[in-house]
Each structure stands twice: as structure tokens, then as C-alpha cells.
Amino acid sequence: MALLPPRERFRSIILLGLPIMGGMLSQSLLNLVDAAMVGSLGEAALAGVGLGGYANFMAIALVMGLGVGVQATVARRRGEGRNELAAAPLNHGLLIATLISLPLMLLCWFNADHIIGLLSDDPEVTSIGGEYFRWRALAIIAVGCNFAYRGYWNGIRQAGLYLQILVAMHVFNVIISYGLIFGHFGLPEMGAAGSGLGTSIAMFIGSGMYFALTWRQGRQHGFLRSLPSFAEIRSMLRLSLPNSLQQLFFATGVTTLFWIIGQIGTAELAIAHVLINLALLLILPGVGLGMAATTLVSHSLGEDQPQEAYRWGWDVVRVAAVVLFVMGLPFWLAPQLVLQLFTQDPQLLALGEWPLRITGLGMTLDATALVLTQALLGAGASRTVMTVNLGSQWLFFLPCAYLVGPVLGGGLLAVWLLQSLYRVMASVIFAIMWRRKHWAEIRI
């Protein structure tokens, strides 16, 4: 197959990446809506939900890698022309998600208060965070299955269907959570915990919609037609487990960052929850474009076109850099106006202004790491990605953040500057790895 001209390449990136990016953006907006609703309940509620949310991120991280494993394998099989087996990786992913999620859900449900108690000494924050986390833990199995479904639909280049279900799921989430937080629509008033239960209910609704759609359209490609063999499960674990472990350690790192910020002060912890959700407003669309690179790279390698795969990586990086620059403009031009959507507390607004500026300015430089991470996963380089991400986060960023923050008294701003530096460092490392092309020799 001849290399596509630039116009066609840009069109392919947009057609595949825009729905995925839209889905990621909707997730970011949902996080911000939750923060705005919970923020009206006070500083402790905002901090507690922040801790509970990131504890839940740690819990679901073990099944998040399944989405990448399913997507890369589905795209590779289609590139090889084996469409009748395209849904087989989804079967493997769903089985693994179920086996991992059930014991994990029980562990988190019965130990929620203890887990949150390890992250904060504030009794009010701990109480709110534990209850929120307990309700979120109910949906771990739904989250694992949803990631596997997402990988399948993105892998066959039908990301628009994934987007439709995701948006519907988010609409249910906002309505149900609003009712449960404030006691509207005949629902009980649960406060911040209602946000956790509402999200879990919406996740199960989404799983049901994914199943119905895939049952109708994926049976011809092998969906639930046979039980996977041990060799097939082992192959999926080989692809997914490194990414799941990376996600687990990344989530643990984010939770550790929250603990570090909590040592600085409760006000810093509260505004950090808002700042990270605002950063996700840029990060998740960048990851969405990176997931488009996962499919494009894996499909090209399946067609035995490594140079085409190499070009896809850089082309998606260029698109992501422009998109993130434009989206980040309000963060560094009008940070106070953005933060006032979530809090009117003058102290919190002052604490968050410059970290938000740094987020807006630094995100363009982060585009390379966001995209090439996913592109390398599409090539099957899961272990390499895990090594780089964990090394830069745990050996550099977190120890230095603790040193400059709580120990040396640098405060939230110093920690945020350090975070941007660590992400730039990761971008440089991934760019070097992509140029070397060792990933093109991996078989999946």
C-alpha cells in the first residue's frame, strides 16, 4: 500500500481521533461538573471526593490496560485481513476484567475507610472520602468491561459508536448524581457520597448499552462465540498487564501526590482536586488522539508498513500539539475566571492561579508524551512504556515533589512547576524512542 498524502493522513487522524477525543473531553467535563456540584458542599467535601476519586483510580487501574490490549490486537488482526477474528480479543478482555474485578471490588468495599484514612488525617475529609470511594468501588467490574468494549470499537475504527454510548452514560451520570447529592427527583439526599453512587449506576448502564450494541453488530466477528484458550488469555495479559501495572503505579503516584499536597495544607488539597480535573480537560483529549495513533500504528504494522506507522506517530503529535495549545489558552490567559466556576474562596483562587497558568502553558509540550505513549502501546511496546513512565514519576517527580513541597516549604506552586518539568522530560524520552524504531520489530 502506498503512503497516504498529507491531506488524507490529516483526514484519517481527524475522522478516527475526533470521536475518541470527544469522548475523553466529555469525561473531563463530567469530572468538572462533579467537582462543581460537590464544591458547593464545602472545602472538606471537595477534598474528600478528590481523595476518594484517586483511590478509585488506583483500584480500576488494574483493568484499564485491557482497553489498550484489546484495541491493539483488534487493529492488528484487521490489518492482517483476519476480520472474522476481530472480536476475539474482546472476549479475552471481558473474561480477564471479570476475574480481576470481582475480588478487587469486595476488597475496596470492605476496606474503604481504612484506605482513605491512609491518605488524610482530617476526620471530616476521611469520612466523606471513604463513603464516596465505597460507592465508586461497586462499578470496578463495569469499568473493566467498558474499557474492553472501547478497545474493540476503537480498534475497528468505529469510535463514533463508542462516543455515543459514552455521552449517553455521562448524561445519566450527571442527572443521577445531581439527584442523589441534593435529594432531587425523589432520590435520597446523600451529599458527596451520592456522586459516587450516581457514577457507578451510570457505569453499569453504559456496560448494558455496550453489550447490546456489540451483540447486534459483533457476533459475525466472533463476539461471545467461543471460550478463549489459555494461550489467547496469556497473549492478552502479556499486552495488557504492563499497561495495567503502569496505570496502577501512575494512579498510586497521583494519590501519593495528593498525600504530599495534603501535608502542605487542606486548602491546597482542595484546590489541587480542581486543578487536576482542569488538567484532565486537556490531557484526556490528548490521550484520545494518542488512542487514534494506537489504531493507526497497529493497523499499519499489521499491513507490514513500519514506515507508515512511524509517520502516523509524528503526524498525530503535530495535531495534538495544536489542539492542546488552543484548548489551553483560557488557562493561562484568564485563570481566575476559570477557577471561579468551582470556588469563590479568595484563598483557593490565589493558590490555584499560577498552577493553572503553568498547566495551560505546559500542555503543548506534553503532547509528545501523551501521543507517543499510546502509539508505542499500539506497537506492542507495553513494557518499555511502563518502564519510562514509572521511572520518571517515581524516581524523579514524587521524591522531588515531597522535598520541595512539605520539606523545603515550596508550596503548591513549586510542586506544579516540578510536575511540568517531569512531563517535558518524558516527552523527550518518548521522542527518542520513537525515532529509533525498535518497536517496529514487535509481534503481537
Side-chain angles (χ1 to χ4, degrees):
M1 185 183 75
L3 296 179
L4 292 173
R7 185 183 297 272
E8 288 300 314
R9 299 179 72 80
F10 177 75
R11 182 172 180 273
S12 296
I13 293 170
I14 294 301
L15 287 178
L16 179 58
L18 199 59
I20 304 175
M21 189 173 68
M24 293 293 186
L25 185 60
S26 71
Q27 178 65 58
S28 300
L29 292 173
L30 176 64
N31 291 338
L32 293 174
V33 169
D34 275 351
M37 288 192 294
V38 173
S40 67
L41 302 179
E43 183 181 287
L46 195 58
V49 168
L51 286 178
Y54 293 110
N56 180 71
F57 185 20
M58 289 173 56
I60 67 173
L62 284 172
V63 294
M64 288 174 66
L66 291 169
V68 172
V70 171
Q71 183 176 344
T73 310
V74 168
R76 188 69 63 95
R77 298 294 172 265
R78 284 176 58 83
E80 294 167 348
R82 302 164 66 186
N83 290 335
E84 74 281 0
L85 299 176
L90 173 58
N91 299 335
H92 313 157
L94 291 174
L95 178 59
I96 294 170
T98 302
L99 293 176
I100 294 175
S101 299
L102 287 176
L104 188 60
M105 179 186 71
L106 292 173
L107 177 68
C108 293
W109 174 267
F110 288 109
N111 295 279
D113 292 331
H114 177 69
I115 293 170
I116 299 301
L118 296 174
L119 304 174
S120 175
D121 296 327
D122 188 317
E124 188 178 4
V125 170
T126 301
S127 175
I128 293 172
E131 193 68 15
Y132 175 83
F133 176 45
R134 180 175 289 107
W135 288 114
R136 286 293 302 269
L138 282 178
I140 293 175
I141 186 171
V143 172
C145 292
N146 290 351
F147 270 101
Y149 282 121
R150 185 187 75 180
Y152 169 72
W153 288 105
N154 289 345
I156 64 172
R157 301 197 184 194
Q158 295 291 323
L161 294 173
Y162 141 74
L163 174 61
Q164 292 171 26
I165 290 179
L166 192 64
V167 170
M169 189 165 57
H170 290 343
V171 170
F172 280 115
N173 193 345
V174 171
I175 294 173
I176 297 171
S177 294
Y178 178 76
L180 288 171
I181 291 171
F182 300 107
H184 295 308
F185 316 128
L187 297 173
E189 183 178 348
M190 298 177 61
S195 176
L197 177 57
T199 299
S200 290
I201 293 172
M203 291 293 177
F204 279 106
I205 292 173
S207 292
M209 291 189 289
Y210 273 128
F211 176 82
L213 179 64
T214 311
W215 180 267
R216 188 170 67 248
Q217 300 189 26
R219 290 282 288 172
Q220 60 182 329
H221 296 151
F223 178 59
L224 296 185
R225 283 190 174 274
S226 61
L227 289 173
S229 67
F230 178 75
E232 291 169 329
I233 293 176
R234 184 175 60 185
S235 177
M236 179 59 64
L237 285 172
R238 181 176 60 82
L239 266 180
S240 303
L241 192 57
N243 189 46
S244 288
L245 289 174
Q246 174 205 319
Q247 294 289 351
L248 173 62
F249 280 102
F250 175 76
T252 306
V254 173
T255 307
T256 302
L257 175 61
F258 252 69
W259 176 82
I260 291 171
I261 295 172
Q263 303 306 300
I264 301 173
T266 301
E268 285 81 359
L269 185 63
I271 197 63
H273 176 48
V274 173
L275 288 169
I276 290 177
N277 278 321
L278 285 169
L280 288 174
L281 187 66
L282 303 184
I283 290 172
L284 290 181
V287 172
L289 283 169
M291 290 172 64
T294 301
T295 295
L296 294 167
V297 167
S298 189
H299 191 277
S300 295
L301 291 175
E303 294 179 321
D304 198 23
Q305 294 281 342
Q307 185 59 28
E308 182 80 344
Y310 176 76
R311 288 185 60 195
W312 279 126
W314 288 122
D315 287 346
V316 179
V317 166
R318 295 185 188 99
V319 174
V322 173
V323 169
L324 295 184
F325 173 78
V326 173
M327 291 182 64
L329 286 175
F331 287 14
W332 58 273
L333 289 177
Q336 288 276 337
L337 291 178
V338 175
L339 291 171
Q340 284 173 7
L341 297 173
F342 307 96
T343 181
Q344 300 297 320
D345 188 318
Q347 181 189 7
L348 297 185
L349 292 174
L351 284 171
E353 179 177 355
W354 275 102
L356 188 58
R357 288 185 190 274
I358 292 167
T359 298
L361 288 168
M363 202 53 65
T364 303
L365 299 175
D366 199 20
T368 302
L370 293 174
V371 171
L372 293 186
T373 293
Q374 300 297 320
L376 286 164
L377 291 173
S382 302
R383 294 180 186 175
T384 304
V385 170
M386 179 182 69
T387 301
V388 173
N389 279 333
L390 295 188
S392 59
Q393 183 187 31
W394 282 92
L395 299 181
F396 171 73
F397 171 56
L398 290 173
C400 292
Y402 183 75
L403 178 64
V404 303
V407 175
L408 299 180
L412 182 64
L413 179 58
V415 172
W416 230 254
L417 281 168
L418 196 61
Q419 182 173 236
S420 293
L421 176 62
Y422 126 74
R423 293 304 300 165
V424 169
M425 182 177 72
S427 286
V428 172
I429 294 172
F430 282 121
I432 293 171
M433 292 172 57
W434 191 250
R435 287 182 63 87
R436 289 180 175 174
K437 300 183 183 178
H438 296 319
W439 45 266
E441 302 170 4
I442 299 173
R443 295 288 177 263
I444 62 176

